[in-house]
């Protein structure tokens, strides 16, 4: 059934950045940050990386593509199982080039950055990247 890597992300692992860009909204689980479009402060379980529409997004770690779905908040979204209870979620995508159930290796292209959903129209074009362990948000930048 093709390449099936051992999915073994742990607290000592570091994720590879999926693209080059400036941090638009930083991960913030313990204090609220300002979301310009929503005009409100709230915690941010993810990192938003500013970039141009059409920029390729690569896998930050070896993983199994668990779900691909459309969300009103994060747009076209991919959820990857990285092993040991870790999941990596990418949002604000288009032209996704992987399918549910496929294994990807670090650096494999997952798709491209799409236009932002209306929840992030002021922030502009970006990649949404969220890391969780057992469903609890972690800082994807370590």
């Amino acid at each position: 059934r093709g390449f099936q890597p051992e999915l073994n992300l742990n607290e000592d692992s570091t994720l590879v950045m999926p693209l080059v860009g400036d941090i638009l909204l930083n991960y913030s689980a313990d204090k609220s940050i300002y979301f310009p479009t929503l005009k409100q402060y709230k915690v941010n379980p993810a990192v938003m990386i500013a970039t141009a529409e059409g920029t390729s997004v690569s896998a930050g770690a070896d993983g199994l593509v668990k779900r691909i779905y459309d969300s009103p908040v994060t747009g076209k979204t991919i959820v990857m199982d990285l092993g040991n209870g870790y999941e990596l979620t990418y949002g604000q995508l288009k032209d996704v080039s992987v399918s549910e159930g496929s294994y990807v290796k670090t650096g494999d292209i997952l798709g491209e950055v799409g236009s932002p959903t209306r929840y992030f129209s002021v922030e502009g074009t970006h990649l949404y990247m969220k890391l969780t362990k057992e469903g609890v948000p972690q800082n994807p930048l370590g």
Side-chain angles (χ1 to χ4, degrees), residues 2-4 16 26-27 30 52-53 78 84 92 102 106 109 112 120:
F3 174 72
Q4 294 190 16
V16 175
N26 221 325
Y27 171 84
D30 49 0
E53 187 170 341
I78 295 175
N84 296 324
Q92 306 289 348
S102 58
T106 305
I109 300 301
E112 296 179 353
F120 296 103

Side-chain angles (χ1 to χ4, degrees), residues 8-125:
N8 200 20
L9 194 83
N10 60 54
E11 59 274 357
D12 298 325
S13 303
T14 46
L15 296 173
V16 175
M17 288 303 283
L19 51 77
V20 176
D22 294 324
I23 302 301
L24 185 64
L25 290 173
N26 221 325
Y27 171 84
S28 182
D30 49 0
K31 66 181 197 306
S32 297
I33 62 173
Y34 188 67
F35 285 73
T37 304
L38 301 175
K39 295 188 169 83
Q40 63 176 266
Y41 286 87
K42 58 184 201 159
V43 295
N44 186 18
V47 170
M48 282 72 159
I49 305 166
T51 189
E53 187 170 341
T55 300
S56 292
V57 176
S58 61
D62 291 352
L64 168 66
V65 179
K66 276 181 65 173
R67 280 180 66 210
I68 300 172
Y69 64 94
D70 287 298
S71 156
V73 178
T74 57
K76 179 71 80 180
T77 304
I78 295 175
V79 180
M80 287 174 40
D81 178 359
L82 306 182
N84 296 324
Y86 285 96
E87 287 185 347
L88 187 56
T89 302
Y90 293 111
Q92 306 289 348
L93 301 173
K94 69 175 186 180
D95 297 336
V96 169
S97 55
V98 294
S99 54
E100 289 183 358
S102 58
Y103 285 91
V104 295
K105 295 176 71 158
T106 305
D108 284 356
I109 300 301
L110 303 174
E112 296 179 353
V113 175
S115 56
T117 61
R118 63 190 184 93
Y119 287 83
F120 296 103
S121 56
V122 174
E123 288 84 346
T125 309

